[in-house]
Short mmCIF file of all heavy atoms in Angstrom, two decimals:
data_model
loop_
_atom_site.label_atom_id
_atom_site.label_comp_id
_atom_site.label_asym_id
_atom_site.label_seq_id
_atom_site.Cartn_x
_atom_site.Cartn_y
_atom_site.Cartn_z
N SER A 4 188.33 194.32 233.93
CA SER A 4 189.51 193.68 234.52
C SER A 4 190.65 193.62 233.49
O SER A 4 190.43 193.75 232.29
CB SER A 4 189.18 192.26 234.98
OG SER A 4 188.79 191.46 233.87
N LEU A 5 191.84 193.47 233.98
CA LEU A 5 193.04 193.41 233.15
C LEU A 5 193.73 192.08 233.40
O LEU A 5 194.08 191.77 234.54
CB LEU A 5 193.97 194.57 233.49
CG LEU A 5 195.29 194.67 232.70
CD1 LEU A 5 195.01 194.97 231.25
CD2 LEU A 5 196.17 195.77 233.30
N LYS A 6 193.92 191.29 232.35
CA LYS A 6 194.54 189.98 232.50
C LYS A 6 195.81 189.93 231.68
O LYS A 6 195.79 190.09 230.47
CB LYS A 6 193.57 188.87 232.06
CG LYS A 6 194.05 187.47 232.39
CD LYS A 6 192.98 186.44 232.06
CE LYS A 6 193.43 185.04 232.49
NZ LYS A 6 192.38 184.02 232.18
N ILE A 7 196.93 189.73 232.35
CA ILE A 7 198.23 189.68 231.68
C ILE A 7 198.91 188.38 232.08
O ILE A 7 199.13 188.13 233.26
CB ILE A 7 199.11 190.89 232.06
CG1 ILE A 7 198.41 192.19 231.65
CG2 ILE A 7 200.47 190.79 231.40
CD1 ILE A 7 199.11 193.44 232.13
N ILE A 8 199.21 187.55 231.09
CA ILE A 8 199.81 186.25 231.36
C ILE A 8 201.16 186.17 230.65
O ILE A 8 201.29 186.55 229.49
CB ILE A 8 198.89 185.11 230.86
CG1 ILE A 8 197.51 185.21 231.54
CG2 ILE A 8 199.51 183.75 231.12
CD1 ILE A 8 196.50 184.21 231.02
N HIS A 9 202.15 185.67 231.37
CA HIS A 9 203.49 185.40 230.82
C HIS A 9 204.25 186.67 230.45
O HIS A 9 205.21 186.61 229.68
CB HIS A 9 203.40 184.49 229.59
CG HIS A 9 202.66 183.21 229.83
ND1 HIS A 9 202.88 182.42 230.93
CD2 HIS A 9 201.68 182.60 229.11
CE1 HIS A 9 202.08 181.36 230.88
NE2 HIS A 9 201.34 181.45 229.81
N TYR A 10 203.83 187.82 230.96
CA TYR A 10 204.55 189.07 230.71
C TYR A 10 204.93 189.70 232.04
O TYR A 10 204.27 189.49 233.06
CB TYR A 10 203.69 190.06 229.91
CG TYR A 10 203.64 189.76 228.43
CD1 TYR A 10 202.81 188.77 227.94
CD2 TYR A 10 204.42 190.48 227.53
CE1 TYR A 10 202.75 188.48 226.58
CE2 TYR A 10 204.37 190.21 226.17
CZ TYR A 10 203.54 189.21 225.71
OH TYR A 10 203.51 188.94 224.36
N VAL A 11 206.00 190.49 232.01
CA VAL A 11 206.39 191.28 233.17
C VAL A 11 206.63 192.71 232.73
O VAL A 11 206.87 192.98 231.56
CB VAL A 11 207.67 190.71 233.85
CG1 VAL A 11 207.39 189.39 234.53
CG2 VAL A 11 208.80 190.55 232.82
N GLY A 12 206.56 193.63 233.68
CA GLY A 12 206.76 195.04 233.37
C GLY A 12 205.71 195.88 234.09
O GLY A 12 205.39 195.61 235.24
N PHE A 13 205.16 196.87 233.38
CA PHE A 13 204.17 197.74 234.02
C PHE A 13 203.30 198.42 232.98
O PHE A 13 203.66 198.53 231.80
CB PHE A 13 204.85 198.80 234.90
CG PHE A 13 205.78 199.70 234.14
CD1 PHE A 13 205.29 200.80 233.44
CD2 PHE A 13 207.14 199.45 234.11
CE1 PHE A 13 206.15 201.62 232.72
CE2 PHE A 13 208.00 200.28 233.40
CZ PHE A 13 207.50 201.37 232.70
N ILE A 14 202.14 198.88 233.44
CA ILE A 14 201.26 199.75 232.66
C ILE A 14 200.89 200.91 233.57
O ILE A 14 200.42 200.70 234.69
CB ILE A 14 199.98 199.03 232.20
CG1 ILE A 14 200.31 197.85 231.30
CG2 ILE A 14 199.05 199.98 231.45
CD1 ILE A 14 199.11 197.01 230.91
N SER A 15 201.14 202.12 233.10
CA SER A 15 200.87 203.30 233.92
C SER A 15 199.94 204.25 233.17
O SER A 15 200.15 204.53 231.99
CB SER A 15 202.18 204.02 234.26
OG SER A 15 201.94 205.21 234.98
N LYS A 16 198.91 204.71 233.87
CA LYS A 16 197.98 205.71 233.31
C LYS A 16 197.53 206.62 234.43
O LYS A 16 196.98 206.16 235.43
CB LYS A 16 196.78 205.05 232.64
CG LYS A 16 195.83 206.06 232.01
CD LYS A 16 194.61 205.39 231.39
CE LYS A 16 193.70 206.44 230.76
NZ LYS A 16 192.47 205.86 230.20
N GLY A 17 197.75 207.91 234.24
CA GLY A 17 197.34 208.87 235.27
C GLY A 17 197.99 208.55 236.60
O GLY A 17 199.21 208.41 236.70
N ASN A 18 197.19 208.41 237.64
CA ASN A 18 197.71 208.12 238.96
C ASN A 18 197.79 206.63 239.27
O ASN A 18 198.09 206.23 240.39
CB ASN A 18 196.82 208.80 240.03
CG ASN A 18 196.92 210.32 239.96
OD1 ASN A 18 198.00 210.85 239.74
ND2 ASN A 18 195.80 210.99 240.14
N THR A 19 197.50 205.80 238.27
CA THR A 19 197.48 204.36 238.48
C THR A 19 198.64 203.69 237.75
O THR A 19 198.86 203.95 236.56
CB THR A 19 196.15 203.75 237.98
OG1 THR A 19 195.07 204.38 238.65
CG2 THR A 19 196.11 202.25 238.25
N CYS A 20 199.36 202.85 238.46
CA CYS A 20 200.45 202.08 237.84
C CYS A 20 200.29 200.62 238.26
O CYS A 20 200.27 200.31 239.46
CB CYS A 20 201.82 202.61 238.28
SG CYS A 20 203.20 201.76 237.47
N VAL A 21 200.12 199.76 237.27
CA VAL A 21 200.03 198.32 237.52
C VAL A 21 201.38 197.70 237.19
O VAL A 21 201.88 197.83 236.07
CB VAL A 21 198.93 197.67 236.66
CG1 VAL A 21 198.89 196.17 236.89
CG2 VAL A 21 197.57 198.29 236.96
N GLN A 22 201.96 197.05 238.16
CA GLN A 22 203.29 196.46 237.99
C GLN A 22 203.18 194.94 238.00
O GLN A 22 202.53 194.36 238.87
CB GLN A 22 204.19 196.93 239.13
CG GLN A 22 205.67 196.72 238.86
CD GLN A 22 206.49 197.71 239.65
OE1 GLN A 22 207.20 198.52 239.10
NE2 GLN A 22 206.43 197.63 240.97
N ILE A 23 203.79 194.30 237.00
CA ILE A 23 203.75 192.84 236.89
C ILE A 23 205.18 192.33 237.07
O ILE A 23 206.05 192.59 236.23
CB ILE A 23 203.19 192.39 235.54
CG1 ILE A 23 201.83 193.02 235.27
CG2 ILE A 23 203.08 190.87 235.49
CD1 ILE A 23 201.86 194.21 234.36
N LEU A 24 205.42 191.64 238.17
CA LEU A 24 206.76 191.19 238.51
C LEU A 24 206.89 189.68 238.31
O LEU A 24 205.90 188.95 238.38
CB LEU A 24 207.08 191.54 239.97
CG LEU A 24 207.05 193.04 240.31
CD1 LEU A 24 207.27 193.23 241.81
CD2 LEU A 24 208.09 193.80 239.51
N PRO A 25 208.11 189.21 238.06
CA PRO A 25 208.30 187.76 237.91
C PRO A 25 208.05 187.03 239.22
O PRO A 25 208.45 187.49 240.29
CB PRO A 25 209.77 187.63 237.48
CG PRO A 25 210.42 188.87 237.97
CD PRO A 25 209.38 189.94 237.90
N LYS A 26 207.40 185.89 239.13
CA LYS A 26 207.10 185.11 240.32
C LYS A 26 208.32 184.29 240.70
O LYS A 26 208.88 183.56 239.89
CB LYS A 26 205.92 184.18 240.04
CG LYS A 26 205.30 183.57 241.28
CD LYS A 26 204.00 182.84 240.93
CE LYS A 26 203.32 182.34 242.19
NZ LYS A 26 202.05 181.64 241.88
N ILE A 27 208.77 184.43 241.94
CA ILE A 27 209.93 183.66 242.40
C ILE A 27 209.62 182.92 243.71
O ILE A 27 210.46 182.17 244.22
CB ILE A 27 211.17 184.56 242.61
CG1 ILE A 27 210.85 185.73 243.54
CG2 ILE A 27 211.70 185.05 241.27
CD1 ILE A 27 212.06 186.59 243.88
N TYR A 28 208.42 183.14 244.24
CA TYR A 28 208.01 182.45 245.47
C TYR A 28 206.61 181.87 245.28
O TYR A 28 205.77 182.45 244.58
CB TYR A 28 207.97 183.42 246.66
CG TYR A 28 209.33 183.85 247.15
CD1 TYR A 28 209.83 185.11 246.84
CD2 TYR A 28 210.11 183.00 247.92
CE1 TYR A 28 211.08 185.52 247.29
CE2 TYR A 28 211.37 183.39 248.38
CZ TYR A 28 211.85 184.64 248.05
OH TYR A 28 213.08 185.03 248.50
N GLU A 29 206.38 180.72 245.91
CA GLU A 29 205.04 180.14 245.96
C GLU A 29 204.66 179.73 247.38
O GLU A 29 203.53 179.87 247.79
CB GLU A 29 204.92 178.95 245.02
CG GLU A 29 204.74 179.36 243.56
CD GLU A 29 204.26 178.23 242.68
OE1 GLU A 29 204.18 177.08 243.14
OE2 GLU A 29 203.97 178.50 241.50
N LYS A 30 205.66 179.24 248.13
CA LYS A 30 205.36 178.72 249.47
C LYS A 30 206.09 179.46 250.58
O LYS A 30 205.90 179.18 251.75
CB LYS A 30 205.74 177.23 249.54
CG LYS A 30 204.98 176.36 248.55
CD LYS A 30 205.46 174.92 248.62
CE LYS A 30 204.74 174.05 247.62
NZ LYS A 30 205.22 172.64 247.64
N SER A 31 206.98 180.38 250.21
CA SER A 31 207.78 181.06 251.23
C SER A 31 206.92 181.95 252.11
O SER A 31 205.92 182.51 251.68
CB SER A 31 208.87 181.89 250.56
OG SER A 31 209.61 182.60 251.53
N GLY A 32 207.33 182.08 253.36
CA GLY A 32 206.57 182.89 254.31
C GLY A 32 207.10 184.30 254.46
O GLY A 32 206.79 184.95 255.46
N ILE A 33 207.90 184.80 253.51
CA ILE A 33 208.45 186.15 253.65
C ILE A 33 207.33 187.18 253.46
O ILE A 33 206.28 186.89 252.89
CB ILE A 33 209.59 186.41 252.65
CG1 ILE A 33 209.06 186.47 251.21
CG2 ILE A 33 210.68 185.38 252.78
CD1 ILE A 33 210.09 186.96 250.21
N SER A 34 207.59 188.39 253.91
CA SER A 34 206.58 189.45 253.84
C SER A 34 206.34 189.85 252.39
O SER A 34 207.20 189.67 251.51
CB SER A 34 207.04 190.67 254.64
OG SER A 34 208.15 191.29 254.00
N ASN A 35 205.19 190.44 252.15
CA ASN A 35 204.83 190.87 250.81
C ASN A 35 205.80 191.93 250.30
O ASN A 35 206.22 191.90 249.13
CB ASN A 35 203.40 191.41 250.81
CG ASN A 35 202.91 191.73 249.41
OD1 ASN A 35 202.89 190.86 248.54
ND2 ASN A 35 202.52 192.96 249.19
N ASP A 36 206.18 192.87 251.17
CA ASP A 36 207.10 193.94 250.76
C ASP A 36 208.45 193.36 250.37
O ASP A 36 209.07 193.80 249.39
CB ASP A 36 207.28 194.95 251.89
CG ASP A 36 206.04 195.81 252.10
OD1 ASP A 36 205.18 195.83 251.20
OD2 ASP A 36 205.94 196.45 253.16
N GLU A 37 208.93 192.39 251.14
CA GLU A 37 210.22 191.78 250.84
C GLU A 37 210.16 190.99 249.53
O GLU A 37 211.11 191.01 248.75
CB GLU A 37 210.65 190.86 252.00
CG GLU A 37 212.09 190.38 251.92
CD GLU A 37 213.09 191.51 252.01
OE1 GLU A 37 212.79 192.54 252.65
OE2 GLU A 37 214.20 191.36 251.44
N GLU A 38 209.05 190.31 249.32
CA GLU A 38 208.90 189.55 248.07
C GLU A 38 208.89 190.48 246.86
O GLU A 38 209.51 190.19 245.83
CB GLU A 38 207.61 188.73 248.10
CG GLU A 38 207.42 187.88 246.85
CD GLU A 38 206.19 187.00 246.93
OE1 GLU A 38 205.55 186.94 247.99
OE2 GLU A 38 205.86 186.37 245.90
#
Side-chain angles (χ1 to χ4, degrees):
S4 62
L5 180 66
K6 189 174 184 180
I7 300 173
I8 302 175
H9 306 313
Y10 281 79
V11 290
F13 60 82
I14 299 175
S15 176
K16 182 182 181 183
N18 293 321
T19 303
C20 184
V21 178
Q22 197 155 242
I23 306 100
L24 299 176
K26 195 171 185 179
I27 55 175
Y28 288 103
E29 281 195 353
K30 299 177 181 178
S31 177
I33 68 170
S34 69
N35 187 58
D36 289 344
E37 191 63 29
E38 182 176 352

